[in-house]
Amino acid sequence: MNNVLIIGSGCAGLTAAIYAGRANLKPLVIDGHEPGGQLAITTMVENFPGFPEGILGPDLIENMRKQAQKFGAEFKSGSITDVDLGKRPFKITAGNEVYETRALIIAAGATARLLGLESERKLIGYGVSTCATCDGYFFRGKEIAVVGGGDSAMEEANFLSRFASKVYVIHRRNEFRASRIMLDRARANEKLQFITPVVVEDITDVSKGGVETMILRNTQSNEVSTLPVSGVFIAIGHVPNTRVFRGKLDMDENGYLITHHGSRTKVPGVFAAGDVQDHFYKQAVTAAGSGCMAAIDAEKFLEANPG
Ligand SMILES: Cc1cc2nc3c(=O)[nH]c(=O)nc-3n(C[C@H](O)[C@H](O)[C@H](O)COP(=O)(O)OP(=O)(O)OC[C@H]3O[C@@H](n4cnc5c(N)ncnc54)[C@H](O)[C@@H]3O)c2cc1C
């Protein structure tokens, strides 16, 4: 029987583990498919407070993990495949393992949708990004591209134009899903140039460890062209990792968990933190902050409901 089980070992889960560990709750953390979460796949993080020179994502996450272990957190590999939240203790299943826990913190994060190209995956953190707020600053004075046709693509393109000398907006259709106002704002921005209707066939140059060009194919004429860019921002949405909670916890229309009064979900004793319940800020520091909140909420809950 565990006091607190934490699903996910990204910034939110690890911060929750540090706080729950220091509250003597001996938390159990289940790593999932991506130990360390999204920061484990990036390079330099320049906006996490406390590191004036920046810190590599994998180093930052490894430090958090060691800090959690120091205070008694235990880690298990495996992905949660089912949850029974009907009554306490909650039953949490990871394949053949079933864990029982008095309180649950869900910090399962969200996964950025990618185009599915091998080069794109290999160049993440080396010129390919899914986060303009995180990485825009690295592209000062450079020509870059944003892929996508929704509101977030327009927002990212506008934001990136503060740094880049030019931002190409690449979209597979001539029509956009983005709202009129976002589209108008993007079209009025002189640094933005729209290229449609094209799909991205490839991003080069993996062998040089950085982005040099995009290979684009016009979906109407089939004409293939090469676009020199230094960075590519993929802005085609995120998918929260909440499938196992469907029908058990409240979610918004995109599957993000809904929390209230801090990190509480509709089930007493079940808390959510980080990107799994945040489609807006999506930052390491906000995920860490909400992980702290979830651990404090869980601690107070256990104090009142020892069960
Ligand atoms: C390439 C890249 C660069 C970034 N750069 C920055 C940056 O510079 N600065 C910044 O502030 N933010 C950055 N971000 C965003 C930041 O990484 C996220 O906001 C943050 O990681 C969210 O933390 P989280 O703990 O909520 O979720 P995640 O980091 O997504 O972690 C989720 C965890 O849940 C686990 N999990 C998922 N499903 C299950 C399951 N079924 N069972 C068990 N475990 C599960 C995963 O294995 C993972 O361990 C970047 C993101 C990316 C992708």
Side-chain angles (χ1 to χ4, degrees), residues 275-299:
D275 286 11
V276 77
Q277 50 85 59
D278 167 23
H279 59 86
F280 185 72
Y281 297 104
K282 296 183 289 186
Q283 294 299 293
V285 71
T286 48
S290 70
C292 156
M293 289 161 64
I296 292 175
D297 289 342
E299 184 204 336

mmCIF file of all heavy atoms in Angstrom, residues 275-299:
data_model
loop_
_atom_site.group_PDB
_atom_site.id
_atom_site.type_symbol
_atom_site.label_atom_id
_atom_site.label_comp_id
_atom_site.label_asym_id
_atom_site.label_seq_id
_atom_site.Cartn_x
_atom_site.Cartn_y
_atom_site.Cartn_z
ATOM 1 N N ASP A 275 1.580 19.438 -17.616
ATOM 2 C CA ASP A 275 0.979 19.608 -18.940
ATOM 3 C C ASP A 275 -0.273 18.756 -19.146
ATOM 4 O O ASP A 275 -1.058 19.038 -20.055
ATOM 5 C CB ASP A 275 1.995 19.259 -20.036
ATOM 6 C CG ASP A 275 3.064 20.336 -20.195
ATOM 7 O OD1 ASP A 275 3.143 21.233 -19.328
ATOM 8 O OD2 ASP A 275 3.822 20.277 -21.181
ATOM 9 N N VAL A 276 -0.473 17.732 -18.316
ATOM 10 C CA VAL A 276 -1.659 16.874 -18.479
ATOM 11 C C VAL A 276 -2.943 17.657 -18.197
ATOM 12 O O VAL A 276 -4.017 17.277 -18.642
ATOM 13 C CB VAL A 276 -1.530 15.621 -17.560
ATOM 14 C CG1 VAL A 276 -1.829 15.954 -16.098
ATOM 15 C CG2 VAL A 276 -2.375 14.473 -18.047
ATOM 16 N N GLN A 277 -2.802 18.792 -17.477
ATOM 17 C CA GLN A 277 -3.971 19.625 -17.150
ATOM 18 C C GLN A 277 -3.736 21.081 -17.573
ATOM 19 O O GLN A 277 -4.433 21.978 -17.132
ATOM 20 C CB GLN A 277 -4.303 19.514 -15.654
ATOM 21 C CG GLN A 277 -3.126 19.732 -14.700
ATOM 22 C CD GLN A 277 -2.829 21.178 -14.355
ATOM 23 O OE1 GLN A 277 -3.701 21.859 -13.832
ATOM 24 N NE2 GLN A 277 -1.616 21.630 -14.656
ATOM 25 N N ASP A 278 -2.743 21.306 -18.438
ATOM 26 C CA ASP A 278 -2.409 22.685 -18.817
ATOM 27 C C ASP A 278 -2.103 22.757 -20.308
ATOM 28 O O ASP A 278 -1.048 22.317 -20.745
ATOM 29 C CB ASP A 278 -1.187 23.144 -17.999
ATOM 30 C CG ASP A 278 -0.575 24.429 -18.545
ATOM 31 O OD1 ASP A 278 -1.283 25.191 -19.231
ATOM 32 O OD2 ASP A 278 0.624 24.655 -18.288
ATOM 33 N N HIS A 279 -3.041 23.281 -21.078
ATOM 34 C CA HIS A 279 -2.789 23.393 -22.527
ATOM 35 C C HIS A 279 -2.306 24.790 -22.885
ATOM 36 O O HIS A 279 -2.096 25.103 -24.047
ATOM 37 C CB HIS A 279 -4.051 23.074 -23.324
ATOM 38 C CG HIS A 279 -5.195 23.984 -22.972
ATOM 39 N ND1 HIS A 279 -5.372 25.200 -23.568
ATOM 40 C CD2 HIS A 279 -6.166 23.855 -22.061
ATOM 41 C CE1 HIS A 279 -6.430 25.786 -23.031
ATOM 42 N NE2 HIS A 279 -6.926 25.001 -22.111
ATOM 43 N N PHE A 280 -2.103 25.638 -21.864
ATOM 44 C CA PHE A 280 -1.794 27.043 -22.161
ATOM 45 C C PHE A 280 -0.343 27.406 -21.880
ATOM 46 O O PHE A 280 0.375 27.873 -22.760
ATOM 47 C CB PHE A 280 -2.736 27.951 -21.368
ATOM 48 C CG PHE A 280 -2.563 29.396 -21.711
ATOM 49 C CD1 PHE A 280 -2.992 29.889 -22.932
ATOM 50 C CD2 PHE A 280 -1.933 30.271 -20.831
ATOM 51 C CE1 PHE A 280 -2.811 31.225 -23.271
ATOM 52 C CE2 PHE A 280 -1.753 31.603 -21.164
ATOM 53 C CZ PHE A 280 -2.185 32.083 -22.382
ATOM 54 N N TYR A 281 0.145 27.173 -20.652
ATOM 55 C CA TYR A 281 1.497 27.618 -20.299
ATOM 56 C C TYR A 281 2.556 26.640 -20.803
ATOM 57 O O TYR A 281 3.562 27.044 -21.369
ATOM 58 C CB TYR A 281 1.623 27.832 -18.788
ATOM 59 C CG TYR A 281 0.713 28.918 -18.281
ATOM 60 C CD1 TYR A 281 -0.447 28.595 -17.584
ATOM 61 C CD2 TYR A 281 0.981 30.248 -18.543
ATOM 62 C CE1 TYR A 281 -1.308 29.594 -17.137
ATOM 63 C CE2 TYR A 281 0.128 31.251 -18.104
ATOM 64 C CZ TYR A 281 -1.016 30.921 -17.399
ATOM 65 O OH TYR A 281 -1.862 31.907 -16.980
ATOM 66 N N LYS A 282 2.370 25.326 -20.502
ATOM 67 C CA LYS A 282 3.224 24.251 -21.041
ATOM 68 C C LYS A 282 4.719 24.516 -20.857
ATOM 69 O O LYS A 282 5.492 24.385 -21.804
ATOM 70 C CB LYS A 282 2.916 24.035 -22.530
ATOM 71 C CG LYS A 282 1.514 23.554 -22.788
ATOM 72 C CD LYS A 282 1.265 23.292 -24.249
ATOM 73 C CE LYS A 282 1.194 24.561 -25.062
ATOM 74 N NZ LYS A 282 0.822 24.414 -26.448
ATOM 75 N N GLN A 283 5.117 24.936 -19.659
ATOM 76 C CA GLN A 283 6.521 25.226 -19.379
ATOM 77 C C GLN A 283 7.030 24.337 -18.251
ATOM 78 O O GLN A 283 6.262 23.880 -17.409
ATOM 79 C CB GLN A 283 6.676 26.696 -18.963
ATOM 80 C CG GLN A 283 6.360 27.664 -20.074
ATOM 81 C CD GLN A 283 7.285 27.483 -21.255
ATOM 82 O OE1 GLN A 283 8.479 27.753 -21.170
ATOM 83 N NE2 GLN A 283 6.762 26.993 -22.359
ATOM 84 N N ALA A 284 8.349 24.135 -18.226
ATOM 85 C CA ALA A 284 8.947 23.305 -17.181
ATOM 86 C C ALA A 284 8.660 23.899 -15.805
ATOM 87 O O ALA A 284 8.316 23.183 -14.859
ATOM 88 C CB ALA A 284 10.448 23.199 -17.417
ATOM 89 N N VAL A 285 8.786 25.219 -15.696
ATOM 90 C CA VAL A 285 8.619 25.829 -14.377
ATOM 91 C C VAL A 285 7.155 25.810 -13.917
ATOM 92 O O VAL A 285 6.879 25.627 -12.725
ATOM 93 C CB VAL A 285 9.229 27.259 -14.351
ATOM 94 C CG1 VAL A 285 8.411 28.236 -15.170
ATOM 95 C CG2 VAL A 285 9.385 27.758 -12.936
ATOM 96 N N THR A 286 6.214 25.945 -14.839
ATOM 97 C CA THR A 286 4.799 25.876 -14.433
ATOM 98 C C THR A 286 4.433 24.438 -14.086
ATOM 99 O O THR A 286 3.669 24.191 -13.152
ATOM 100 C CB THR A 286 3.851 26.430 -15.525
ATOM 101 O OG1 THR A 286 4.210 25.849 -16.776
ATOM 102 C CG2 THR A 286 3.939 27.929 -15.614
ATOM 103 N N ALA A 287 5.009 23.474 -14.829
ATOM 104 C CA ALA A 287 4.758 22.054 -14.509
ATOM 105 C C ALA A 287 5.322 21.744 -13.122
ATOM 106 O O ALA A 287 4.664 21.105 -12.295
ATOM 107 C CB ALA A 287 5.395 21.159 -15.570
ATOM 108 N N ALA A 288 6.540 22.217 -12.859
ATOM 109 C CA ALA A 288 7.157 21.981 -11.547
ATOM 110 C C ALA A 288 6.303 22.635 -10.455
ATOM 111 O O ALA A 288 6.022 22.010 -9.416
ATOM 112 C CB ALA A 288 8.573 22.551 -11.532
ATOM 113 N N GLY A 289 5.852 23.876 -10.697
ATOM 114 C CA GLY A 289 5.030 24.581 -9.712
ATOM 115 C C GLY A 289 3.756 23.824 -9.400
ATOM 116 O O GLY A 289 3.364 23.671 -8.233
ATOM 117 N N SER A 290 3.111 23.296 -10.434
ATOM 118 C CA SER A 290 1.854 22.590 -10.159
ATOM 119 C C SER A 290 2.123 21.218 -9.540
ATOM 120 O O SER A 290 1.273 20.696 -8.814
ATOM 121 C CB SER A 290 0.985 22.504 -11.417
ATOM 122 O OG SER A 290 1.559 21.644 -12.344
ATOM 123 N N GLY A 291 3.305 20.650 -9.782
ATOM 124 C CA GLY A 291 3.675 19.394 -9.098
ATOM 125 C C GLY A 291 3.800 19.628 -7.601
ATOM 126 O O GLY A 291 3.383 18.807 -6.777
ATOM 127 N N CYS A 292 4.387 20.766 -7.250
ATOM 128 C CA CYS A 292 4.487 21.159 -5.840
ATOM 129 C C CYS A 292 3.090 21.294 -5.235
ATOM 130 O O CYS A 292 2.807 20.776 -4.143
ATOM 131 C CB CYS A 292 5.262 22.481 -5.759
ATOM 132 S SG CYS A 292 4.920 23.456 -4.303
ATOM 133 N N MET A 293 2.192 21.964 -5.970
ATOM 134 C CA MET A 293 0.823 22.146 -5.463
ATOM 135 C C MET A 293 0.140 20.798 -5.241
ATOM 136 O O MET A 293 -0.512 20.578 -4.205
ATOM 137 C CB MET A 293 -0.002 22.968 -6.470
ATOM 138 C CG MET A 293 0.401 24.426 -6.536
ATOM 139 S SD MET A 293 -0.170 25.230 -8.052
ATOM 140 C CE MET A 293 -1.938 25.134 -7.859
ATOM 141 N N ALA A 294 0.311 19.883 -6.187
ATOM 142 C CA ALA A 294 -0.356 18.575 -6.081
ATOM 143 C C ALA A 294 0.149 17.806 -4.861
ATOM 144 O O ALA A 294 -0.635 17.167 -4.149
ATOM 145 C CB ALA A 294 -0.120 17.769 -7.362
ATOM 146 N N ALA A 295 1.469 17.882 -4.595
ATOM 147 C CA ALA A 295 2.009 17.154 -3.446
ATOM 148 C C ALA A 295 1.476 17.752 -2.144
ATOM 149 O O ALA A 295 1.116 17.013 -1.215
ATOM 150 C CB ALA A 295 3.535 17.204 -3.473
ATOM 151 N N ILE A 296 1.404 19.078 -2.084
ATOM 152 C CA ILE A 296 0.879 19.713 -0.857
ATOM 153 C C ILE A 296 -0.612 19.382 -0.701
ATOM 154 O O ILE A 296 -1.072 19.040 0.396
ATOM 155 C CB ILE A 296 1.121 21.244 -0.886
ATOM 156 C CG1 ILE A 296 2.629 21.517 -0.779
ATOM 157 C CG2 ILE A 296 0.370 21.943 0.250
ATOM 158 C CD1 ILE A 296 3.028 22.986 -0.914
ATOM 159 N N ASP A 297 -1.355 19.416 -1.812
ATOM 160 C CA ASP A 297 -2.787 19.065 -1.746
ATOM 161 C C ASP A 297 -2.959 17.611 -1.296
ATOM 162 O O ASP A 297 -3.839 17.298 -0.485
ATOM 163 C CB ASP A 297 -3.450 19.270 -3.121
ATOM 164 C CG ASP A 297 -3.591 20.751 -3.479
ATOM 165 O OD1 ASP A 297 -3.509 21.599 -2.560
ATOM 166 O OD2 ASP A 297 -3.783 21.056 -4.675
ATOM 167 N N ALA A 298 -2.103 16.715 -1.808
ATOM 168 C CA ALA A 298 -2.204 15.287 -1.434
ATOM 169 C C ALA A 298 -1.875 15.101 0.046
ATOM 170 O O ALA A 298 -2.547 14.346 0.759
ATOM 171 C CB ALA A 298 -1.257 14.457 -2.305
ATOM 172 N N GLU A 299 -0.858 15.822 0.491
ATOM 173 C CA GLU A 299 -0.457 15.711 1.902
ATOM 174 C C GLU A 299 -1.603 16.157 2.820
ATOM 175 O O GLU A 299 -1.947 15.479 3.792
ATOM 176 C CB GLU A 299 0.772 16.592 2.109
ATOM 177 C CG GLU A 299 1.372 16.520 3.479
ATOM 178 C CD GLU A 299 2.173 17.781 3.793
ATOM 179 O OE1 GLU A 299 2.621 18.461 2.854
ATOM 180 O OE2 GLU A 299 2.324 18.064 4.987
#
